[in-house]
mmCIF file of all heavy atoms in Angstrom:
data_model
loop_
_atom_site.group_PDB
_atom_site.id
_atom_site.type_symbol
_atom_site.label_atom_id
_atom_site.label_comp_id
_atom_site.label_asym_id
_atom_site.label_seq_id
_atom_site.Cartn_x
_atom_site.Cartn_y
_atom_site.Cartn_z
ATOM 1 N N GLN K 39 5.002 14.585 4.696
ATOM 2 C CA GLN K 39 5.344 13.839 5.909
ATOM 3 C C GLN K 39 4.306 12.752 6.185
ATOM 4 O O GLN K 39 4.664 11.644 6.563
ATOM 5 C CB GLN K 39 5.419 14.803 7.127
ATOM 6 C CG GLN K 39 6.657 15.703 7.074
ATOM 7 C CD GLN K 39 6.580 16.730 8.157
ATOM 8 O OE1 GLN K 39 5.593 16.941 8.845
ATOM 9 N NE2 GLN K 39 7.725 17.416 8.344
ATOM 10 N N GLN K 40 3.044 13.080 5.978
ATOM 11 C CA GLN K 40 2.000 12.077 6.153
ATOM 12 C C GLN K 40 2.105 10.932 5.129
ATOM 13 O O GLN K 40 1.916 9.766 5.482
ATOM 14 C CB GLN K 40 0.591 12.731 6.025
ATOM 15 C CG GLN K 40 0.262 13.668 7.169
ATOM 16 C CD GLN K 40 -1.027 14.471 6.893
ATOM 17 O OE1 GLN K 40 -1.497 14.557 5.798
ATOM 18 N NE2 GLN K 40 -1.514 15.048 7.939
ATOM 19 N N MET K 41 2.495 11.267 3.895
ATOM 20 C CA MET K 41 2.694 10.250 2.877
ATOM 21 C C MET K 41 3.854 9.312 3.243
ATOM 22 O O MET K 41 3.756 8.136 3.103
ATOM 23 C CB MET K 41 2.973 10.878 1.494
ATOM 24 C CG MET K 41 1.752 11.589 0.897
ATOM 25 S SD MET K 41 0.548 10.385 0.226
ATOM 26 C CE MET K 41 1.390 9.825 -1.243
ATOM 27 N N LEU K 42 4.938 9.941 3.686
ATOM 28 C CA LEU K 42 6.102 9.114 4.087
ATOM 29 C C LEU K 42 5.766 8.193 5.229
ATOM 30 O O LEU K 42 6.157 7.011 5.165
ATOM 31 C CB LEU K 42 7.273 9.998 4.450
ATOM 32 C CG LEU K 42 8.061 10.629 3.305
ATOM 33 C CD1 LEU K 42 9.079 11.610 3.872
ATOM 34 C CD2 LEU K 42 8.720 9.533 2.475
ATOM 35 N N LYS K 43 5.053 8.697 6.201
ATOM 36 C CA LYS K 43 4.652 7.882 7.327
ATOM 37 C C LYS K 43 3.763 6.728 6.888
ATOM 38 O O LYS K 43 3.932 5.598 7.294
ATOM 39 C CB LYS K 43 3.929 8.720 8.422
ATOM 40 C CG LYS K 43 3.548 7.913 9.639
ATOM 41 C CD LYS K 43 2.820 8.770 10.680
ATOM 42 C CE LYS K 43 2.459 7.901 11.846
ATOM 43 N NZ LYS K 43 1.445 8.498 12.694
ATOM 44 N N ALA K 44 2.804 7.037 6.060
ATOM 45 C CA ALA K 44 1.884 5.993 5.547
ATOM 46 C C ALA K 44 2.654 4.927 4.764
ATOM 47 O O ALA K 44 2.403 3.738 4.862
ATOM 48 C CB ALA K 44 0.760 6.575 4.718
ATOM 49 N N GLN K 45 3.628 5.370 3.929
ATOM 50 C CA GLN K 45 4.420 4.439 3.168
ATOM 51 C C GLN K 45 5.282 3.503 4.061
ATOM 52 O O GLN K 45 5.440 2.362 3.823
ATOM 53 C CB GLN K 45 5.302 5.173 2.153
ATOM 54 C CG GLN K 45 4.459 5.764 1.024
ATOM 55 C CD GLN K 45 5.286 6.759 0.146
ATOM 56 O OE1 GLN K 45 6.320 7.247 0.565
ATOM 57 N NE2 GLN K 45 4.780 6.959 -1.091
ATOM 58 N N GLU K 46 5.811 4.120 5.137
ATOM 59 C CA GLU K 46 6.626 3.330 6.074
ATOM 60 C C GLU K 46 5.726 2.318 6.804
ATOM 61 O O GLU K 46 6.119 1.168 7.009
ATOM 62 C CB GLU K 46 7.299 4.267 7.116
ATOM 63 C CG GLU K 46 8.384 5.070 6.528
ATOM 64 C CD GLU K 46 8.902 6.167 7.498
ATOM 65 O OE1 GLU K 46 8.371 6.280 8.618
ATOM 66 O OE2 GLU K 46 9.866 6.874 7.103
ATOM 67 N N GLU K 47 4.511 2.718 7.146
ATOM 68 C CA GLU K 47 3.605 1.793 7.806
ATOM 69 C C GLU K 47 3.209 0.658 6.869
ATOM 70 O O GLU K 47 3.124 -0.483 7.317
ATOM 71 C CB GLU K 47 2.311 2.541 8.251
ATOM 72 C CG GLU K 47 2.570 3.476 9.410
ATOM 73 C CD GLU K 47 1.339 4.364 9.723
ATOM 74 O OE1 GLU K 47 0.362 4.303 8.957
ATOM 75 O OE2 GLU K 47 1.375 5.073 10.710
ATOM 76 N N LEU K 48 2.994 0.973 5.604
ATOM 77 C CA LEU K 48 2.664 -0.086 4.632
ATOM 78 C C LEU K 48 3.818 -1.071 4.455
ATOM 79 O O LEU K 48 3.651 -2.265 4.364
ATOM 80 C CB LEU K 48 2.323 0.527 3.270
ATOM 81 C CG LEU K 48 0.950 1.199 3.199
ATOM 82 C CD1 LEU K 48 0.790 1.981 1.920
ATOM 83 C CD2 LEU K 48 -0.154 0.135 3.326
ATOM 84 N N ALA K 49 5.053 -0.535 4.373
ATOM 85 C CA ALA K 49 6.239 -1.407 4.262
ATOM 86 C C ALA K 49 6.396 -2.335 5.394
ATOM 87 O O ALA K 49 6.854 -3.471 5.246
ATOM 88 C CB ALA K 49 7.478 -0.580 4.013
ATOM 89 N N ALA K 50 5.985 -1.878 6.583
ATOM 90 C CA ALA K 50 6.122 -2.716 7.806
ATOM 91 C C ALA K 50 4.989 -3.699 8.021
ATOM 92 O O ALA K 50 5.113 -4.699 8.692
ATOM 93 C CB ALA K 50 6.243 -1.802 9.023
#
Side-chain angles (χ1 to χ4, degrees):
Q39 289 172 349
Q40 291 172 343
M41 289 286 286
L42 283 173
K43 182 180 179 199
Q45 289 170 340
E46 289 170 359
E47 289 172 354
L48 286 169

